[in-house]
Coordinates of all heavy atoms in Angstrom, one line a residue:
Chain B
D139 N 4.0 -21.5 -1.7 CA 4.8 -20.4 -1.3 C 6.3 -20.6 -1.6 O 7.0 -19.7 -1.8 CB 4.5 -20.0 0.2 CG 3.1 -19.5 0.4 OD1 2.4 -19.2 -0.6 OD2 2.7 -19.4 1.6
Q140 N 6.6 -21.9 -1.5 CA 8.1 -22.3 -1.7 C 8.5 -22.1 -3.2 O 9.6 -22.0 -3.5 CB 8.2 -23.7 -1.2 CG 9.6 -24.2 -0.9 CD 10.1 -23.6 0.4 OE1 10.9 -22.7 0.4 NE2 9.7 -24.2 1.5
T141 N 7.5 -22.2 -4.1 CA 7.9 -22.4 -5.5 C 7.4 -21.2 -6.4 O 7.9 -21.0 -7.5 CB 7.3 -23.7 -6.1 OG1 5.9 -23.7 -5.8 CG2 8.0 -24.9 -5.4
S142 N 6.3 -20.5 -6.0 CA 5.6 -19.7 -7.0 C 6.5 -18.5 -7.5 O 6.2 -18.1 -8.6 CB 4.3 -19.1 -6.3 OG 4.6 -18.3 -5.2
F143 N 7.5 -18.1 -6.7 CA 8.2 -16.9 -7.2 C 9.0 -17.1 -8.5 O 9.3 -16.2 -9.2 CB 9.2 -16.5 -6.1 CG 10.4 -17.5 -5.9 CD1 11.6 -17.2 -6.6 CD2 10.3 -18.6 -5.1 CE1 12.6 -18.1 -6.4 CE2 11.3 -19.4 -4.9 CZ 12.5 -19.2 -5.6
A144 N 9.2 -18.4 -8.9 CA 10.1 -18.6 -10.0 C 9.3 -18.9 -11.3 O 9.9 -19.2 -12.4 CB 11.1 -19.8 -9.8
M145 N 8.0 -18.7 -11.3 CA 7.2 -18.9 -12.5 C 7.6 -17.8 -13.5 O 7.9 -16.6 -13.1 CB 5.7 -18.7 -12.2 CG 5.1 -19.9 -11.6 SD 3.3 -19.7 -11.3 CE 3.2 -18.8 -9.8
S146 N 7.6 -18.1 -14.8 CA 8.0 -17.1 -15.8 C 7.0 -16.1 -16.0 O 5.8 -16.3 -15.9 CB 8.3 -17.9 -17.1 OG 8.5 -16.9 -18.1
K147 N 7.4 -14.8 -16.2 CA 6.5 -13.7 -16.5 C 6.3 -13.6 -18.0 O 5.5 -12.7 -18.4 CB 7.0 -12.4 -15.9 CG 6.5 -12.1 -14.4 CD 7.5 -12.7 -13.4 CE 6.9 -12.7 -12.0 NZ 7.6 -13.7 -11.2
E148 N 7.0 -14.3 -18.8 CA 6.9 -14.1 -20.2 C 6.0 -15.2 -20.9 O 6.1 -16.4 -20.6 CB 8.3 -14.2 -20.8 CG 9.1 -12.9 -20.5 CD 10.5 -13.0 -20.8 OE1 11.0 -13.8 -21.6 OE2 11.3 -12.2 -20.1
D149 N 5.2 -14.7 -21.8 CA 4.2 -15.6 -22.4 C 4.7 -16.4 -23.5 O 4.0 -17.3 -24.1 CB 3.1 -14.7 -23.0 CG 2.3 -14.0 -21.9 OD1 2.3 -14.5 -20.8 OD2 1.6 -13.0 -22.2
M150 N 6.0 -16.3 -23.9 CA 6.6 -17.0 -25.0 C 6.4 -18.5 -24.9 O 6.1 -19.2 -25.8 CB 8.1 -16.7 -25.1 CG 8.4 -15.3 -25.6 SD 8.4 -15.2 -27.4 CE 9.9 -16.1 -27.7
R151 N 6.6 -19.0 -23.7 CA 6.4 -20.4 -23.4 C 5.4 -20.6 -22.3 O 5.7 -20.6 -21.2 CB 7.7 -21.1 -23.0 CG 8.8 -20.9 -24.1 CD 10.1 -21.6 -23.7 NE 10.0 -23.0 -23.7 CZ 11.0 -23.8 -23.3 NH1 12.2 -23.3 -23.0 NH2 10.8 -25.1 -23.3
P152 N 4.1 -20.7 -22.8 CA 3.0 -20.7 -21.8 C 3.1 -21.7 -20.6 O 2.8 -21.4 -19.5 CB 1.8 -21.1 -22.7 CG 2.2 -20.7 -24.1 CD 3.6 -20.9 -24.1
A153 N 3.7 -22.9 -20.9 CA 3.8 -23.8 -19.8 C 4.6 -23.3 -18.6 O 4.2 -23.5 -17.4 CB 4.5 -25.1 -20.3
M154 N 5.6 -22.5 -18.9 CA 6.5 -22.0 -17.9 C 5.9 -20.8 -17.1 O 6.4 -20.4 -16.1 CB 7.8 -21.6 -18.5 CG 8.7 -22.8 -18.8 SD 10.1 -22.5 -19.9 CE 11.0 -21.3 -19.0
T155 N 4.8 -20.3 -17.6 CA 4.1 -19.2 -16.8 C 3.3 -19.8 -15.7 O 2.7 -19.0 -14.9 CB 3.1 -18.4 -17.7 OG1 2.1 -19.2 -18.2 CG2 3.9 -17.8 -18.9
G156 N 3.2 -21.1 -15.6 CA 2.4 -21.7 -14.5 C 3.3 -22.6 -13.6 O 4.5 -22.6 -13.7
T157 N 2.6 -23.2 -12.6 CA 3.3 -24.1 -11.7 C 2.9 -25.6 -12.1 O 1.8 -25.9 -12.2 CB 2.8 -23.9 -10.2 OG1 3.3 -22.6 -9.8 CG2 3.4 -24.9 -9.3
L158 N 4.0 -26.4 -12.2 CA 3.8 -27.8 -12.5 C 3.5 -28.6 -11.3 O 4.2 -28.5 -10.3 CB 5.0 -28.4 -13.2 CG 5.0 -29.9 -13.5 CD1 4.0 -30.2 -14.5 CD2 6.4 -30.4 -13.9
L159 N 2.3 -29.3 -11.3 CA 2.1 -30.3 -10.2 C 2.3 -31.7 -10.9 O 1.7 -32.1 -11.8 CB 0.6 -30.2 -9.8 CG 0.3 -29.4 -8.5 CD1 0.7 -28.0 -8.8 CD2 -1.1 -29.5 -8.2
E160 N 3.3 -32.4 -10.4 CA 3.7 -33.6 -11.0 C 3.6 -34.8 -10.0 O 4.3 -34.8 -9.0 CB 5.2 -33.5 -11.4 CG 5.7 -34.7 -12.2 CD 7.1 -34.5 -12.7 OE1 7.9 -33.8 -12.0 OE2 7.5 -35.2 -13.7
F161 N 2.6 -35.6 -10.2 CA 2.4 -36.8 -9.3 C 3.4 -37.8 -9.7 O 3.5 -38.3 -10.8 CB 1.0 -37.3 -9.4 CG 0.0 -36.3 -8.9 CD1 -0.6 -35.4 -9.8 CD2 -0.4 -36.3 -7.6 CE1 -1.5 -34.5 -9.3 CE2 -1.3 -35.4 -7.1 CZ -1.9 -34.5 -8.0
V162 N 4.3 -38.2 -8.8 CA 5.3 -39.3 -9.0 C 5.2 -40.3 -7.9 O 4.5 -40.1 -6.9 CB 6.7 -38.7 -9.1 CG1 6.9 -37.8 -10.4 CG2 7.0 -37.8 -7.9
E163 N 6.0 -41.3 -8.0 CA 5.9 -42.4 -7.0 C 6.2 -41.9 -5.6 O 5.6 -42.3 -4.7 CB 6.9 -43.5 -7.4 CG 6.6 -44.8 -6.9 CD 7.6 -45.9 -7.3 OE1 8.0 -45.8 -8.5 OE2 8.0 -46.7 -6.5
E164 N 7.2 -41.0 -5.5 CA 7.7 -40.6 -4.2 C 6.7 -39.6 -3.5 O 6.8 -39.3 -2.3 CB 9.0 -39.9 -4.2 CG 10.1 -40.6 -4.9 CD 10.3 -40.1 -6.4 OE1 9.5 -40.5 -7.2 OE2 11.2 -39.4 -6.6
G165 N 5.8 -38.9 -4.3 CA 4.9 -38.0 -3.7 C 4.4 -37.0 -4.8 O 4.2 -37.4 -5.9
L166 N 4.3 -35.7 -4.4 CA 3.8 -34.7 -5.3 C 4.9 -33.6 -5.5 O 5.3 -33.1 -4.5 CB 2.5 -34.1 -4.8 CG 1.9 -32.9 -5.6 CD1 1.7 -33.3 -7.0 CD2 0.6 -32.4 -4.9
K167 N 5.3 -33.4 -6.7 CA 6.3 -32.4 -7.0 C 5.7 -31.1 -7.5 O 4.8 -31.1 -8.3 CB 7.3 -32.9 -8.1 CG 8.4 -33.8 -7.6 CD 9.3 -34.0 -8.8 CE 10.3 -35.2 -8.4 NZ 10.9 -35.7 -9.6
F168 N 6.2 -30.0 -7.0 CA 5.8 -28.7 -7.5 C 7.1 -28.1 -8.2 O 8.1 -28.0 -7.6 CB 5.4 -27.7 -6.3 CG 4.1 -28.2 -5.7 CD1 4.1 -29.2 -4.8 CD2 3.0 -27.5 -5.9 CE1 2.9 -29.6 -4.2 CE2 1.8 -27.9 -5.3 CZ 1.8 -28.9 -4.5
V169 N 6.9 -27.7 -9.4 CA 8.1 -27.2 -10.2 C 7.7 -25.9 -10.8 O 6.7 -25.8 -11.4 CB 8.5 -28.2 -11.3 CG1 9.8 -27.7 -12.0 CG2 8.8 -29.6 -10.7
T170 N 8.7 -24.9 -10.7 CA 8.5 -23.7 -11.5 C 9.9 -23.3 -12.1 O 10.9 -23.6 -11.5 CB 8.1 -22.5 -10.6 OG1 9.0 -22.4 -9.5 CG2 6.7 -22.7 -10.0
T171 N 9.9 -22.7 -13.2 CA 11.1 -22.2 -13.8 C 10.8 -21.1 -14.8 O 9.8 -21.1 -15.4 CB 11.9 -23.3 -14.5 OG1 13.1 -22.8 -15.0 CG2 11.1 -23.9 -15.7
D172 N 11.8 -20.2 -14.9 CA 11.6 -19.1 -15.9 C 12.8 -19.2 -16.9 O 13.1 -18.3 -17.6 CB 11.5 -17.7 -15.3 CG 12.7 -17.3 -14.5 OD1 13.7 -18.1 -14.5 OD2 12.7 -16.2 -14.0
G173 N 13.6 -20.3 -16.8 CA 14.7 -20.5 -17.7 C 16.0 -20.0 -17.1 O 17.1 -20.4 -17.4
H174 N 15.9 -19.0 -16.1 CA 17.1 -18.5 -15.4 C 17.3 -19.2 -14.1 O 18.4 -19.4 -13.6 CB 17.0 -17.0 -15.2 CG 16.8 -16.2 -16.4 ND1 17.8 -16.1 -17.4 CD2 15.7 -15.6 -16.9 CE1 17.3 -15.4 -18.4 NE2 16.0 -15.0 -18.1
R175 N 16.2 -19.6 -13.5 CA 16.2 -20.4 -12.2 C 15.1 -21.4 -12.2 O 14.1 -21.3 -13.0 CB 16.1 -19.4 -11.0 CG 14.8 -18.6 -11.1 CD 15.0 -17.2 -11.0 NE 13.8 -16.4 -11.3 CZ 13.2 -15.6 -10.4 NH1 13.6 -15.6 -9.1 NH2 12.2 -14.9 -10.7
L176 N 15.2 -22.3 -11.3 CA 14.2 -23.4 -11.3 C 14.0 -23.8 -9.8 O 15.0 -23.8 -9.0 CB 14.7 -24.6 -12.1 CG 13.9 -25.8 -12.2 CD1 14.0 -26.5 -13.5 CD2 14.2 -26.9 -11.1
V177 N 12.8 -24.1 -9.4 CA 12.6 -24.6 -8.1 C 11.8 -25.9 -8.2 O 10.9 -26.1 -9.0 CB 11.7 -23.7 -7.2 CG1 11.7 -24.1 -5.8 CG2 12.2 -22.2 -7.3
R178 N 12.3 -26.9 -7.5 CA 11.6 -28.2 -7.5 C 11.4 -28.6 -6.0 O 12.3 -28.8 -5.2 CB 12.5 -29.3 -8.2 CG 11.7 -30.6 -8.4 CD 12.7 -31.7 -8.9 NE 13.7 -32.1 -7.9 CZ 14.8 -32.8 -8.1 NH1 15.0 -33.2 -9.4 NH2 15.6 -33.1 -7.2
Y179 N 10.1 -28.7 -5.6 CA 9.8 -29.0 -4.3 C 9.0 -30.3 -4.3 O 8.0 -30.5 -5.0 CB 9.0 -27.9 -3.7 CG 8.5 -28.1 -2.3 CD1 9.3 -27.9 -1.2 CD2 7.2 -28.6 -2.0 CE1 8.9 -28.1 0.1 CE2 6.8 -28.8 -0.7 CZ 7.6 -28.6 0.4 OH 7.2 -28.8 1.6
L180 N 9.4 -31.3 -3.5 CA 8.7 -32.6 -3.4 C 8.1 -32.8 -2.1 O 8.8 -32.7 -1.0 CB 9.7 -33.7 -3.7 CG 9.2 -35.2 -3.4 CD1 8.1 -35.6 -4.4 CD2 10.4 -36.2 -3.5
N181 N 6.8 -33.0 -2.0 CA 6.1 -33.3 -0.8 C 5.8 -34.8 -0.8 O 5.0 -35.4 -1.5 CB 4.8 -32.5 -0.7 CG 4.1 -32.7 0.6 OD1 4.2 -33.8 1.2 ND2 3.5 -31.6 1.1
K182 N 6.6 -35.5 0.1 CA 6.5 -37.0 0.2 C 5.2 -37.5 0.9 O 5.0 -38.7 0.9 CB 7.7 -37.6 0.8 CG 9.0 -37.2 0.1 CD 10.2 -37.9 0.8 CE 11.5 -37.4 0.2 NZ 12.7 -37.9 1.0
E183 N 4.5 -36.6 1.5 CA 3.3 -37.0 2.3 C 2.2 -37.4 1.3 O 1.3 -38.1 1.7 CB 2.8 -35.8 3.1 CG 3.8 -35.4 4.2 CD 3.6 -36.2 5.5 OE1 2.5 -36.3 6.0 OE2 4.6 -36.9 5.8
I184 N 2.2 -36.8 0.1 CA 1.1 -37.0 -0.8 C 1.3 -38.1 -1.8 O 2.0 -37.9 -2.8 CB 0.8 -35.6 -1.5 CG1 0.6 -34.5 -0.5 CG2 -0.5 -35.8 -2.4 CD1 0.7 -33.1 -1.1
K185 N 0.9 -39.3 -1.4 CA 1.1 -40.4 -2.3 C -0.2 -40.7 -3.0 O -1.3 -40.8 -2.4 CB 1.5 -41.7 -1.5 CG 2.7 -41.4 -0.6 CD 3.9 -41.9 -1.2 CE 5.1 -41.7 -0.2 NZ 6.4 -42.2 -0.7
T186 N -0.1 -40.9 -4.3 CA -1.4 -41.1 -5.1 C -1.3 -42.2 -6.1 O -2.3 -42.5 -6.8 CB -1.7 -39.8 -5.9 OG1 -0.5 -39.5 -6.7 CG2 -2.0 -38.7 -5.0
N187 N -0.2 -43.0 -6.2 CA -0.1 -44.1 -7.2 C -0.5 -43.6 -8.6 O -1.1 -44.3 -9.3 CB -1.1 -45.2 -6.8 CG -0.7 -45.9 -5.5 OD1 0.6 -46.0 -5.3 ND2 -1.6 -46.1 -4.7
K188 N 0.0 -42.4 -8.9 CA -0.3 -42.0 -10.3 C 1.0 -41.3 -10.8 O 1.8 -40.8 -10.1 CB -1.5 -41.2 -10.5 CG -1.5 -39.9 -9.8 CD -2.7 -39.1 -10.2 CE -3.9 -39.5 -9.4 NZ -5.1 -38.7 -9.6
E189 N 1.1 -41.2 -12.1 CA 2.2 -40.5 -12.7 C 1.5 -39.5 -13.7 O 1.3 -39.9 -14.9 CB 3.2 -41.4 -13.5 CG 3.8 -42.5 -12.6 CD 5.2 -42.2 -12.3 OE1 5.8 -41.3 -12.9 OE2 5.7 -42.8 -11.3
E190 N 1.3 -38.3 -13.3 CA 0.6 -37.3 -14.1 C 1.1 -35.9 -13.9 O 1.6 -35.6 -12.9 CB -0.9 -37.4 -13.9 CG -1.6 -38.4 -14.7 CD -3.1 -38.6 -14.4 OE1 -3.7 -37.7 -13.8 OE2 -3.6 -39.7 -14.6
Q191 N 0.9 -35.1 -14.9 CA 1.3 -33.7 -14.8 C 0.2 -32.8 -15.1 O -0.6 -33.0 -16.0 CB 2.4 -33.4 -15.9 CG 3.7 -34.2 -15.6 CD 4.9 -33.5 -16.4 OE1 4.7 -32.8 -17.4 NE2 6.1 -33.7 -15.9

Side-chain angles (χ1 to χ4, degrees):
Chain B
D139 293 348
Q140 198 74 259
T141 53
S142 62
F143 71 93
M145 284 183 279
S146 173
K147 270 91 193 158
E148 285 166 25
D149 292 339
M150 289 275 287
R151 301 182 64 182
M154 285 161 62
T155 63
T157 292
L158 173 68
L159 265 61
E160 187 179 25
F161 293 92
V162 290
E163 203 180 319
E164 310 98 284
L166 176 55
K167 275 187 193 162
F168 293 77
V169 180
T170 56
T171 182
D172 63 3
H174 304 291
R175 59 235 170 111
L176 179 146
V177 190
R178 187 186 70 192
Y179 178 82
L180 169 65
N181 186 325
K182 297 183 191 170
E183 295 277 299
I184 306 163
K185 304 267 184 179
T186 55
N187 294 320
K188 64 171 83 176
E189 302 256 342
E190 272 172 23
Q191 293 199 337

